Amino acid sequence: MSKRYPPPARFADQASTNASQLQSAHERVANDSEGHWLELAKRLDWAHPPTRAKDVSFHRDDFHIRWYEDGALNVSVNCLDRHLATQPDKTAIIFEPDDPNRPARRISYRELHAEVCQMANALTALGVVKGDRVTLYLPMIPEAAVVMLACARLGAIHSVVFGGFSPDALAGRIADCESKLVITADGGFRGGKVIPLKANVDEALSRPGTETVQTVVVLKHAGNTIAWQDRDRWYHDVVAGQPDTHMAAPMQAEDPLFILYTSGSTGKPKGVLHTTGGYLVWASYTHDLLFDLKPNDVYWCTADVGWVTGHSYVVYGPLANGATTLMFEGVPSYPDISRFWQVVDRHGVTLFYTAPTAIRALMREGDAPVLKTSRQSLRLLGTVGEPINPEAWEWYYRVVGDSRCPIIDTWWQTETGAALISPVPGAVDAKPGSATLPLPGVFPALVDAQGAILDGATDGNLVLLDSWPGQMRTVYGDPQRFIDTYFSTYPGRYFTGDGARRDADGYYWITGRVDDVINVSGHRIGTAEVESALVGHPAVAEAAVVGAPHDIKGQGIYAYVTLKSGIEPNEALRKQLVAQVRHDIGPIASPDWLQWAPGLPKTRSGKIMRRILRKIAEDAPDQLGDTSTLADPTVVSSLVTERLNRA
Ligand code: WT7
């Protein structure tokens, strides 16, 4: 029996949603789901309120996902203009720079609105119109939110690419959606170092396929020297003289809002497409419900805007809710390991949301760096991105939260738009390591390999039986891939790619990906992408990549590499191969371990048996299972003997 943590009394007393209110919401969905969904939509300002909520079929012959389809609204107006009437001077964004000796910035809703309007006018002047794609390659700074919201005003579709991705990875994402415009900065700061963003853009745009880009807008931020191209325009020049008001046109609820690339088990990254109405309903509703949002909260989600968490829970959810959201450009360990808690104290952060990998890394440094800070302002803690081990959960609860703050462990995906399984903090008892229960309107199930639904306490593959408003609508430019990836393994159901256990209380315990996706520090890396980078090196004949347990990252990347005949493995070559992956994808995809493999275990039809490679990497050679079907069973024993010590 795992330990239960009821909501701490002081928190429960003031929580906006208690257990019986949550129960009523579940009942409302059961009895009148259409009424429930239409009611939820009222939290937004619609130019034309929707008269119908859900119109969905997951079936191949009539596949469609539409929410609030006859409604019209503008996301940027919902995040900005409507708050001007009630709270123009409230701080919308607090910016905490990488260097704590530089001043923090506080931007009111009025100021943010003005900046966004200027940028919307500037984008129009640069020829950007509704439906155009705009790529953002920016540091974690307020201008990232400004540009996202300016795109939303026009109906231009933004594609934010994480600043840690390499020029090649950026080029692929620009080419895939045929961006017209790229917005970047000269450089970004991370832990005292400058990341050369503009130089990366220059390199990316020298790659074939990126010719659609007409203009690069460059924000002067880090002050590093950059090369200048004919297509470049300074950010401060394009906004100079632009009016700080802008009439935003309402969008149809199903008009695209953004594309965000994410890795899958095969092929190149998919452009996950989210639309306007349903996405904003779900992002704002879950942000309000799960964080028990109050008017005076100072909310801080540490995710970068390059990931979906940064979209839904740094920008769109909080701003739609009129909250104060903190953006931090730096890293948890700079200038020292107390930085997170120093920022909490400096700005009076009340709601704090981060990833298990950060918690584990900080826990390793002991309690002292935490205990020397106050953290009295905190009232709720959250985690996202990967399963949290119970030890890290308990440490977060006891040391960071002084046993006073509930923890929400929020399970969701880029594809789901926002959280689906999570405790509602004043209503649901937590169990360390469990994302607990589905939110009202979310219908998870566990299925076996054949797709049969399993009842009661069991293990299985996690599917969702029905849609929710924040669901992705398609893979940009490849609708068939959307259906094939998510709705064909178990026809008529959305397959998450995750495995899970459900206990006797109905609580879900996500056990991790069951497909060929590795979750490294909460970031998804496709094994196929890493393999293709490795075989791109002239010395490599073949490569196979799997995930293996990693103390801090959750999972690390374990690569098996077969060299071309006549080439001898050595340390210099190992370094070159790691560099090749960093070059093609980015530092987050660097293999943690690289084992030379004279041969790989394959079936007679030539398919690599990753199950076996995973067990070897996990140091569990006694659990290889049946190897008799291999074309050459003898390759396994040498891989086992030569396996790397991961410690
Ligand atoms: C995958 C989605 C959710 C936004 C950040 C990651 C894993 C996510 C949890 C959690 C256990 C989790 C799943 C999921 N995951 N949250 N609370 N507990 N696992 O988004 O890059 O799309 O990754 O992250 O495996 O499928 P993403």
Side-chain angles (χ1 to χ4, degrees):
M1 265 303 274
S2 65
K3 207 166 158 195
R4 277 183 98 104
Y5 286 78
R10 204 151 36 108
F11 183 90
D13 288 347
Q14 56 82 66
S16 303
T17 307
N18 62 27
S20 81
Q21 289 161 319
L22 181 61
Q23 183 54 28
S24 317
H26 283 291
E27 280 159 19
R28 177 87 201 264
V29 178
N31 301 326
D32 173 20
S33 92
E34 190 71 2
H36 167 79
W37 294 122
L38 284 173
E39 187 67 35
L40 271 198
K42 292 188 181 150
R43 57 183 302 113
L44 302 181
D45 265 10
W46 297 79
H48 306 287
T51 62
R52 205 181 148 186
K54 182 171 151 233
D55 177 11
V56 173
S57 162
F58 284 173
H59 292 280
R60 185 170 275 270
D61 38 356
D62 177 32
F63 188 89
H64 60 275
I65 302 173
R66 296 190 278 260
W67 283 87
Y68 306 118
E69 206 197 357
D70 67 351
L73 76 170
N74 188 287
V75 165
S76 188
V77 167
N78 273 277
C79 290
L80 299 169
D81 307 47
R82 68 166 167 157
H83 304 313
L84 296 188
T86 51
Q87 48 172 36
D89 298 316
K90 179 170 176 177
T91 301
I93 297 179
I94 299 175
F95 173 59
E96 170 73 16
D98 181 58
D99 178 353
N101 298 316
R102 292 197 178 205
R105 232 183 118 188
R106 299 179 76 88
I107 306 168
S108 69
Y109 272 93
R110 193 202 315 275
E111 291 160 343
L112 184 62
H113 174 262
E115 282 194 36
V116 170
C117 287
Q118 283 196 309
M119 179 47 79
N121 289 318
L123 290 175
T124 303
L126 290 168
V128 174
V129 297
K130 182 174 176 179
D132 282 347
R133 276 78 60 209
V134 173
T135 295
L136 282 69
Y137 188 65
L138 283 165
M140 187 56 190
I141 55 177
E143 286 79 1
V146 168
V147 176
M148 290 163 78
L149 292 163
C151 287
R153 278 191 106 74
L154 308 177
I157 307 169
H158 61 70
S159 163
V160 184
V161 178
F162 174 57
F165 278 119
S166 71
D168 278 347
L170 172 61
R173 286 156 172 78
I174 289 170
D176 183 78
C177 70
E178 301 174 301
S179 284
K180 190 175 196 173
L181 190 116
V182 175
I183 301 202
T184 190
D186 47 1
F189 294 108
R190 263 181 87 79
K193 291 199 273 291
V194 174
I195 311 295
L197 296 172
K198 170 61 163 62
N200 288 353
V201 170
D202 290 345
E203 200 180 328
L205 295 185
S206 72
R207 303 284 189 271
T210 58
E211 300 80 7
T212 50
V213 175
Q214 295 164 3
T215 312
V216 175
V217 173
V218 186
L219 179 78
K220 204 175 180 67
H221 175 64
N224 50 318
T225 314
I226 57 171
W228 201 253
Q229 321 289 338
D230 288 343
R231 60 177 174 247
D232 296 342
R233 305 282 306 274
W234 283 112
Y235 186 110
H236 55 258
D237 286 340
V238 301
V239 296
Q242 292 294 349
D244 61 5
T245 56
H246 173 266
M247 277 298 285
M251 302 295 148
Q252 289 305 124
E254 286 298 345
D255 281 342
L257 178 64
F258 67 84
I259 300 167
L260 188 57
Y261 287 87
T262 191
S263 295
S265 37
T266 54
K268 55 180 185 152
K270 293 184 284 283
V272 168
L273 185 87
H274 282 289
T275 59
T276 297
Y279 171 79
L280 198 65
V281 167
W282 196 248
S284 70
Y285 165 68
T286 55
H287 177 258
D288 187 357
L289 179 73
L290 298 181
F291 291 95
D292 187 50
L293 189 69
K294 302 284 197 295
N296 292 327
D297 275 316
V298 175
Y299 164 83
W300 181 17
C301 165
T302 67
D304 190 281
V305 283
W307 310 110
V308 73
T309 312
H311 284 60
S312 305
Y313 293 122
V314 174
V315 178
Y316 289 120
L319 296 178
N321 291 334
T324 297
T325 182
L326 191 148
M327 295 178 81
F328 173 44
E329 191 180 359
V331 296
S333 54
Y334 178 81
D336 63 54
I337 202 78
S338 297
R339 185 68 190 276
F340 271 0
W341 325 122
Q342 290 157 354
V343 174
V344 165
D345 287 351
R346 183 170 182 189
H347 298 292
V349 171
T350 58
L351 311 170
F352 179 74
Y353 190 32
T354 196
T357 185
I359 299 166
R360 285 192 298 266
L362 297 171
M363 180 171 80
R364 190 175 63 172
E365 307 290 329
D367 299 2
V370 185
L371 296 179
K372 73 181 198 198
T373 63
S374 157
R375 291 159 287 105
Q376 276 307 304
S377 55
L378 289 174
R379 66 182 190 90
L380 175 143
L381 303 172
T383 82
V384 60
E386 48 171 323
I388 181 162
N389 44 314
E391 309 74 63
W393 194 104
E394 306 258 358
W395 183 83
Y396 195 31
Y397 186 82
R398 187 173 47 78
V399 180
V400 175
D402 289 328
S403 305
R404 167 175 46 96
C405 307
I407 295 181
I408 53 166
D409 175 352
T410 60
W411 174 86
W412 56 295
Q413 313 179 292
T414 306
E415 293 88 338
T416 71
L420 297 190
I421 303 180
S422 168
V424 172
V428 173
D429 292 1
K431 295 186 192 182
S434 170
T436 76
L437 301 167
L439 301 185
V442 174
F443 300 98
L446 298 178
V447 297
D448 66 16
Q450 284 67 47
I453 293 190
L454 305 167
D455 292 324
T458 183
D459 278 313
N461 287 343
L462 182 65
V463 298
L464 294 155
L465 301 176
D466 205 345
S467 186
W468 61 98
Q471 182 168 28
M472 75 181 278
R473 298 300 195 262
T474 193
V475 172
Y476 185 80
D478 198 350
Q480 192 57 44
R481 191 174 176 199
F482 179 50
I483 299 173
D484 293 346
T485 306
Y486 301 100
F487 301 92
S488 68
T489 316
Y490 305 113
R493 290 169 189 149
Y494 170 82
F495 178 40
T496 63
D498 280 337
R501 177 167 72 81
R502 190 174 47 222
D503 70 16
D505 296 324
Y507 277 43
Y508 286 85
W509 301 72
I510 311 296
T511 46
R513 304 289 307 191
V514 294
D515 54 9
D516 290 325
V517 170
I518 309 180
N519 190 328
V520 182
S521 302
H523 302 315
R524 261 156 78 169
I525 309 289
T527 49
E529 287 170 74
V530 183
E531 288 164 5
S532 116
L534 289 168
V535 298
H537 190 283
V540 175
E542 225 177 359
V545 165
V546 297
H550 186 289
D551 284 350
I552 301 295
K553 300 180 181 181
Q555 278 191 302
I557 299 178
Y558 195 115
Y560 296 87
V561 173
T562 308
L563 296 173
K564 288 184 180 154
S565 64
I567 298 179
E568 284 303 310
N570 59 52
E571 182 57 18
L573 183 54
R574 199 189 61 79
K575 287 202 173 116
Q576 270 183 34
L577 294 180
V578 172
Q580 174 95 15
V581 177
R582 294 172 72 97
H583 172 269
D584 282 12
I585 307 173
I588 51 170
S590 299
D592 297 278
W593 308 283
L594 195 152
Q595 177 174 350
W596 305 113
L600 293 170
K602 289 186 194 161
T603 61
R604 289 193 191 94
S605 59
K607 194 176 173 312
I608 294 174
M609 299 274 281
R610 288 165 198 288
R611 175 178 59 78
I612 293 176
L613 294 174
R614 241 179 254 132
K615 288 295 172 194
I616 297 174
E618 279 169 21
D619 197 22
D622 49 327
Q623 295 167 29
L624 298 184
D626 183 11
T627 55
S628 64
T629 57
L630 291 175
D632 175 10
T634 61
V635 300
V636 173
S637 55
S638 89
L639 291 178
V640 168
T641 340
E642 300 288 312
R643 72 186 184 277
L644 302 174
N645 176 4
R646 287 182 286 99

